[in-house]
Amino acid sequence: MPTRRSTDGTAGERLFETALEQFDAAADLVALPERTRSILRTPKNEIIVNFPVEMDSGEIRIFRGYRVQHNDILGPYKGGLRFAPYVDLGEVKALAMWMTWKTSLSGVPFGGAKGGISFDPREHSRGENERIVRRFTHALGANIGPEYDIPAPDVGSNAQSMVWMMDTYLNAGSSTDRQNTRRVVTGKTIETGGSLGRDKATGQGAAFVLAHHYEQINRDLRGQTCAIQGFGNVGEHSARAMARMGVKMTHVADHTGAIANTAGIDPEALWRHTHEAGGVAGFDDAEVIDVEEFFAADVDILVPAAIENQITEARAPHVRASVILEGANGPTSVEGERILIDRGIEILPDVLANAGGVIVSYFEWLQNKMSSKWRLNEVDDELRRYLWEAADGIEAEKKRLACTRREAAYAVALKRIGTVFDQRGIWP
Ligand code: NAD
């Protein structure tokens, strides 16, 4: 069975400790001044809202939602909303901190935030989901805003959730400048102001990062094989984008189980199946395998694109892939990473590999602000440019500091933030 997350709050706190540990190591590397370090170790705002929602049965239930605004020195807070039963404050704090590094590294003018609601959207009707999202938006009130804090989708939320948030925000506010506040959220449907290419942006971006790596090592991506954990937004779109580059997907795992077919699994056929069946289990054209077999699959590229803490100390010794492309946030534990690096396995870290989502979110926000519309090829070209520039910066820093790729990514991100803190100072 896939690893289940506990709901007692300890898993989230552990994740935040991991985020702090990674931060401390990178802060040492770039000799970040103590005052900047202490500011960045603590999120600026931690918001918890408890709000009532009427169920279809007429019963009233209280839900708990979170928004953690980690840092906004580089621009408005930006980050996704996670809808899952295990969502807790620790997890949201870790994810918010990672967003700060990601936006800085990507060169988009945003800070870092993250949020969520502890509930399972799959256990609720469409009507209940809508009322939960709208009441959450109302409870957040002025804590979000188009120039202040801009949510986006993450695990369990989607474009429809963003449209409900936008509509609630516009209707509840007193602004006469309503159309101009559509950019209070990104990841919307195209019809309501979303950007072409936003839906696939994270997966497409991961594939661009992989292509950059293969160019660096002078190898052809064509004919390479991959295993993907998670076949949601990131997993599906990275599968499709990698297939366009000639990579064959042979193993897939999600919350319903794991499957394999060495002849290749067609992303389109699997997408149709998961759409109907709710997961990869029961897919005809593959055999069922154990989740541990999945992590030990004989493939070139392993893409964890589901949840955190999957490539652990226990699994890392068995990984046979030579490249880990981190589609998910925090999929590799600190101990797991040490083992992978000792074994010479290349890690393309989450902070770069899944930055495509926030970069195209920035393009959506810009298009809304300018009332303009970019073509898909313009979005993709710009996305590749941003990611390749960030990847070049990381490779240069990795060489200079003789450190891991993740540390180099953090170093680039922290230096940028550190410089702005130095120039702006601390008021008063
Ligand atoms: P999603 O909800 O669309 O899909 C999640 C996938 O993970 C599903 O296939 C689900 O079956 C699988 N999954 C859930 N629990 C699992 C478990 N215990 N074991 C195995 N598989 C499990 O979510 P998503 O948007 O694709 O996000 C996936 C990851 O990528 C998350 O870590 C998220 O933070 C990160 N991410 C997403 C975006 C984005 O734009 N969507 C951007 C950056 C990072």
Side-chain angles (χ1 to χ4, degrees):
M1 282 296 288
T3 310
R4 296 270 167 208
R5 289 281 312 276
S6 68
T7 51
D8 62 2
T10 53
E13 275 312 318
R14 267 204 309 276
L15 199 67
F16 187 55
E17 279 163 25
T18 302
L20 284 178
E21 218 174 297
Q22 293 169 341
F23 166 70
D24 286 339
D28 286 345
L29 262 180
V30 298
L32 198 69
E34 190 49 46
R35 60 174 202 168
T36 314
R37 205 183 276 233
S38 58
I39 292 171
L40 291 173
R41 283 186 113 255
T42 319
K44 266 180 115 170
N45 304 310
E46 299 172 20
I47 302 150
I48 298 181
V49 290
N50 297 305
F51 53 95
V53 180
E54 187 174 345
M55 300 290 97
D56 293 342
S57 63
E59 176 208 355
I60 299 289
R61 283 205 16 211
I62 305 293
F63 289 81
R64 173 165 289 195
Y66 304 87
R67 187 71 179 165
V68 172
Q69 297 161 334
H70 176 258
N71 192 271
D72 65 347
I73 191 100
L74 296 183
Y77 298 111
K78 185 89 191 82
L81 292 176
R82 185 168 284 197
F83 297 167
Y86 54 76
V87 166
D88 60 42
L89 187 62
E91 163 166 312
V92 179
K93 276 161 54 178
L95 292 164
M97 184 180 247
W98 283 327
M99 279 307 294
T100 302
W101 318 145
K102 195 175 299 176
T103 50
S104 171
L105 171 70
S106 314
V108 296
F110 288 135
K114 203 82 181 189
I117 309 175
S118 338
F119 85 113
D120 186 346
R122 287 176 290 214
E123 284 176 1
H124 293 270
S125 66
R126 181 182 163 91
E128 288 179 352
N129 267 288
E130 176 172 355
R131 292 195 292 281
I132 293 165
V133 169
R134 286 187 184 275
R135 276 308 295 242
F136 175 56
T137 311
H138 185 258
L140 286 176
N143 288 300
I144 57 171
E147 300 290 341
Y148 178 63
D149 182 358
I150 306 138
D154 191 71
V155 177
S157 60
N158 54 29
Q160 179 62 70
S161 332
M162 294 305 111
V163 178
W164 286 328
M165 283 196 85
M166 176 194 76
D167 188 70
T168 308
Y169 185 85
L170 297 192
N171 280 301
S174 55
S175 166
T176 50
D177 193 15
R178 287 191 174 184
Q179 292 313 324
N180 210 19
T181 49
R182 286 185 305 172
R183 64 186 194 286
V184 64
V185 286
T186 58
K188 303 180 285 289
T189 59
I190 303 294
E191 297 77 10
T192 60
S195 174
L196 291 173
R198 171 61 185 89
D199 202 28
K200 66 167 181 141
T202 307
Q204 179 69 63
F208 283 148
V209 168
L210 182 70
H212 182 273
H213 176 67
Y214 270 70
E215 201 175 270
Q216 297 277 308
I217 59 172
N218 233 337
R219 276 188 70 182
D220 196 354
L221 254 181
R222 281 198 177 274
Q224 295 286 286
T225 54
C226 75
I228 303 185
Q229 187 201 29
F231 206 70
N233 178 287
V234 182
E236 178 217 329
H237 288 293
S238 54
R240 289 181 190 271
M242 286 193 290
R244 288 192 287 274
M245 294 172 178
V247 178
K248 183 165 78 175
M249 174 170 75
T250 56
H251 297 69
V252 187
D254 74 358
H255 71 289
T256 64
I259 57 170
N261 181 349
T262 49
I265 297 170
D266 175 30
E268 172 64 27
L270 184 61
W271 178 79
R272 268 188 263 116
H273 171 80
T274 54
H275 229 63
E276 277 167 20
V280 300
F283 182 63
D284 279 347
D285 195 22
E287 57 166 322
V288 174
I289 57 165
D290 179 62
V291 70
E292 301 310 326
E293 280 178 68
F294 168 85
F295 281 102
D298 187 10
V299 290
D300 300 300
I301 304 148
L302 173 62
V303 190
I307 54 168
E308 308 76 39
N309 213 23
Q310 295 300 293
I311 306 179
T312 53
E313 195 172 6
R315 285 174 176 159
H318 307 292
V319 168
R320 283 200 270 174
S322 53
V323 180
I324 310 287
L325 178 64
E326 291 188 339
N329 283 309
T332 311
S333 72
V334 173
E335 301 76 24
E337 175 159 359
R338 273 185 210 124
I339 295 169
L340 294 176
I341 289 172
D342 283 349
R343 295 184 54 219
I345 298 172
E346 300 286 349
I347 303 173
L348 304 177
D350 49 7
V351 64
L352 170 71
N354 68 30
V358 74
I359 294 171
V360 178
S361 271
Y362 168 54
F363 300 162
E364 176 178 335
W365 184 83
L366 269 183
Q367 288 170 72
N368 289 169
K369 200 166 166 141
M370 312 292 284
S371 285
S372 69
K373 199 139 201 75
W374 299 6
R375 287 189 291 271
L376 182 59
N377 65 321
E378 291 174 316
V379 172
D380 283 350
D381 288 351
E382 274 298 272
L383 172 62
R384 185 176 37 229
R385 193 174 67 78
Y386 270 76
L387 283 170
W388 282 36
E389 213 169 283
D392 284 341
I394 293 173
E395 294 308 321
E397 198 69 357
K398 181 171 179 284
K399 224 176 255 164
R400 207 179 64 78
L401 294 171
C403 62
T404 70
R405 195 171 282 111
R406 193 186 312 280
E407 285 166 344
Y410 276 42
V412 173
L414 289 184
K415 272 190 188 168
R416 199 165 280 157
I417 296 170
T419 305
V420 178
F421 266 114
D422 279 351
Q423 291 177 1
R424 282 177 58 166
I426 291 159
W427 185 89

